[in-house]
Amino acid sequence: MAGNLGAPSAAGVAPRPEEGKARAGRPGARLWEDAEPQAKKLRSGEDGAPPRKLPKRKIVLLLAYSGKGYHGMQRNVGSSQFRTIEDDLVSALVRSGCIPENHGEDMRKMSFQRCARTDKGVSAAGQVVSLKVWLIDDILEKINSHLPSHIRILGLKRVTGGFNSKNKCDARTYFYMLPTFAFAHKDRDPQDETYRLSAETLQRVNRLLACYQGTHSFHNFTSQKGPREPSARRYILQMYCEEPFVREGLEFAVIRVKGQSFMMHQIRKMVGLVVAIVKGYAPESVLERSWGDEKVDVPKAPGLGLVLERVHFEKYNQRFGNDGLHEPLDWAQEEAEVAAFKEQHILPTIVSTERGERSMAQWLSTLPAHDFSASALAASSGAKVRALSGAWAPASGTARGSRSVHELRHRAAGLAHCAEGTVPASCAPSPACAPLTHLCPPHPPVPPHPPMPPHPPVPS
């Protein structure tokens, strides 16, 4: 494997005979080693001379990790409050001698790039990062020795000097693993572990998931994106749900989705909206409305079950995969290690965390609070009412966002009536809105103007 390659010999200096024999007889040597310009060896002599620098080479690393306890993949330089996967990875690269310490402080110096920025709690079985490193001996073993067991480098390959793992990636495949009671009708116990997904329900789930295929504006499936923004348009190649299976007495299913690229929270919201439809909280028509101009309230499923499974480099492989100097980025030889890591670290974590923390069951209990009929017009009119009244603050001792949709609607209606100076009979509060009667107080009468004094006589 490329991870065990040694350093080339000094540039412009002919190797000694014994070095040439050792080089030719070394097992696993790559063709590209001989094609690279010879470089200085990292060696310190008996006279105490400082070691000479190795050349840096552009490589990609196949990375697998369990995301529980981490605040996503991407490193937040200068912030130690939130631990990320890249924090542990960069630390291991520095400690193993692959990069200098100052490159760990400024990742641009090693041309670091990731294929995907996974969210908080999201895992990966096939993440790929590109960077420049010193190709030291036994590089994979040394990096992994400084990583926790739930983060592993499973493969290393040389790539072209201008390779960028994010820009060269053609597509990304994720899977979302969830307990099947998430698809049970809303009238059923949301924590019923005896629930089993029927063939009819699975067929309906797949019919809904197939609606995502193609190019749509997913502005409702992320934040800070408008319906007309070109960056909100994403291409989904396929999305489907596999046959369910049982783990520790609880039935699970896996939803797989492959697309060119995804925005923050997009997949979790795609899953969340389908779950809301199947459970009976939202009509099927909301799917088509969600990628229209309307603003649709799309629920976001928990991050626990989401896993980056594979990244694809078809165009790069067609151009460089068979040029005799580089290997195709297909990771076929590492598939067994990837599957073993999933079985040992990712899937058991999803099952045990779901059983212990019941994240899916807790999220399902929030679905009734979503308003799937809200439109951009209603949202904009509500914003105008809030701006006009300036009284949107919650009642004393009440946390913002804790009121139900029904209460918020009544609040908006009350503020509108007050702004108009009238309180019609239709504003009579229901028992659920009783605490909100103060929103429509009677307006005090306007005092009459005093009579005007008579004009003084005009002098003659």
Side-chain angles (χ1 to χ4, degrees):
M1 178 173 287
N4 295 327
L5 294 176
S9 55
V13 179
R16 290 176 291 182
E18 58 270 23
E19 291 179 344
K21 291 179 182 178
R23 183 180 182 84
R26 186 179 56 196
R30 304 281 187 185
L31 291 176
W32 51 260
E33 278 190 294
D34 297 323
E36 293 289 346
Q38 294 178 328
K40 298 177 181 179
K41 278 196 171 183
L42 183 63
R43 181 193 303 164
S44 56
E46 295 180 356
D47 57 354
R52 290 177 291 178
K53 237 182 225 184
L54 281 168
K56 295 186 183 71
R57 300 298 182 217
K58 179 64 76 69
I59 64 165
V60 293
L61 298 175
L62 178 64
L63 179 66
Y65 54 85
S66 173
K68 183 181 179 182
Y70 289 88
H71 285 256
M73 169 71 180
Q74 188 171 5
R75 190 182 190 198
N76 301 312
V77 179
S79 174
S80 59
Q81 182 180 2
F82 301 111
R83 184 184 176 198
T84 68
I85 298 295
E86 287 179 7
D87 286 332
D88 286 0
L89 175 60
V90 171
S91 175
L93 291 172
V94 172
R95 294 171 65 189
S96 63
C98 297
I99 60 172
E101 189 171 353
N102 65 332
H103 286 201
E105 298 168 358
D106 186 356
M107 299 172 69
R108 292 174 298 180
K109 292 183 178 180
M110 57 175 164
S111 303
F112 187 94
Q113 189 57 265
R114 66 204 68 80
C115 275
R117 293 180 295 179
T118 52
D119 298 337
K120 175 183 176 182
V122 177
S123 301
Q127 173 76 278
V128 171
V129 299
S130 57
L131 69 160
K132 290 183 177 180
V133 299
W134 292 321
L135 285 175
I136 60 176
D137 290 331
D138 303 320
I139 183 171
L140 291 188
E141 291 77 2
K142 290 179 179 177
I143 297 175
N144 284 325
S145 68
H146 297 288
L147 286 171
S149 60
H150 54 268
I151 303 178
R152 274 292 170 267
I153 306 296
L154 302 180
L156 180 153
K157 292 186 179 182
R158 283 291 309 276
V159 288
T160 57
F163 184 87
N164 181 303
S165 60
K166 178 183 177 182
N167 297 339
K168 295 296 183 181
C169 184
D170 303 308
R172 297 148 178 91
T173 297
Y174 286 80
F175 73 79
Y176 190 90
M177 179 174 165
L178 73 169
T180 57
F181 63 68
F183 296 119
H185 193 268
K186 62 182 180 180
D187 295 334
R188 185 166 181 153
D189 181 6
Q191 302 186 37
D192 184 6
E193 296 186 0
T194 64
Y195 177 83
R196 295 295 181 262
L197 187 65
S198 66
E200 293 78 14
T201 303
L202 178 60
Q203 185 178 8
R204 186 188 181 200
V205 169
N206 277 319
R207 178 171 56 82
L208 294 171
L209 293 175
C211 295
Y212 286 122
Q213 294 179 190
T215 301
H216 305 286
S217 175
F218 286 93
H219 66 99
N220 280 310
F221 296 80
T222 187
S223 59
Q224 301 178 349
K225 292 284 185 184
R228 303 293 183 179
E229 292 188 46
S231 60
R233 296 182 64 81
R234 301 295 163 120
Y235 177 51
I236 306 301
L237 285 85
Q238 61 179 356
M239 191 170 187
Y240 59 93
C241 183
E242 297 179 345
E243 291 289 334
F245 56 92
V246 176
R247 288 276 182 125
E248 298 183 12
L250 188 61
E251 188 179 68
F252 287 87
V254 167
I255 295 175
R256 277 192 165 79
V257 55
K258 180 181 180 181
Q260 277 187 339
S261 60
F262 299 93
M263 296 177 289
M264 180 182 293
H265 302 153
Q266 180 183 338
I267 297 176
R268 292 165 61 185
K269 287 199 169 192
M270 291 167 72
V271 172
L273 188 56
V274 168
V275 169
I277 294 173
V278 174
K279 292 189 75 66
Y281 289 111
E284 292 190 9
S285 60
V286 75
L287 264 178
E288 188 169 352
R289 287 196 297 111
S290 66
W291 48 69
D293 290 343
E294 292 186 18
K295 183 67 177 177
V296 177
D297 184 12
V298 178
K300 180 176 64 179
L304 173 65
L306 185 58
V307 179
L308 173 61
E309 185 173 38
R310 183 184 295 272
V311 290
H312 308 268
F313 299 95
E314 280 86 358
K315 291 181 181 178
Y316 175 86
N317 289 340
Q318 290 174 4
R319 183 173 180 182
F320 298 104
N322 298 311
D323 64 357
L325 298 175
H326 306 92
E327 300 173 88
L329 302 181
D330 56 11
W331 310 107
Q333 297 180 356
E334 290 78 13
E335 285 184 358
E337 292 182 76
V338 171
F341 186 91
K342 284 195 294 186
E343 287 294 331
Q344 185 176 358
H345 295 283
I346 297 179
L347 302 186
T349 299
I350 295 175
V351 174
S352 61
T353 304
E354 178 58 41
R355 280 201 161 279
E357 301 178 7
R358 308 198 65 80
S359 58
M360 178 57 69
Q362 292 181 21
W363 173 75
L364 291 174
S365 67
T366 68
L367 289 180
H370 288 270
D371 179 16
F372 298 99
S373 63
S375 65
L377 179 61
S380 61
S381 62
K384 291 179 182 178
V385 170
R386 292 195 295 273
L388 178 64
S389 65
W392 190 258
S396 176
T398 304
R400 183 182 295 271
S402 62
R403 297 191 183 275
S404 68
V405 173
H406 183 66
E407 291 173 330
L408 293 178
R409 282 177 172 173
H410 184 80
R411 175 184 285 274
L415 293 176
H417 299 328
C418 291
E420 296 171 1
T422 60
V423 184
S426 61
C427 190
S430 67
C433 295
L436 300 176
T437 54
H438 65 282
L439 291 175
C440 300
H443 293 273
V446 179
H449 290 283
M452 296 291 293
H455 290 280
V458 179
S460 56

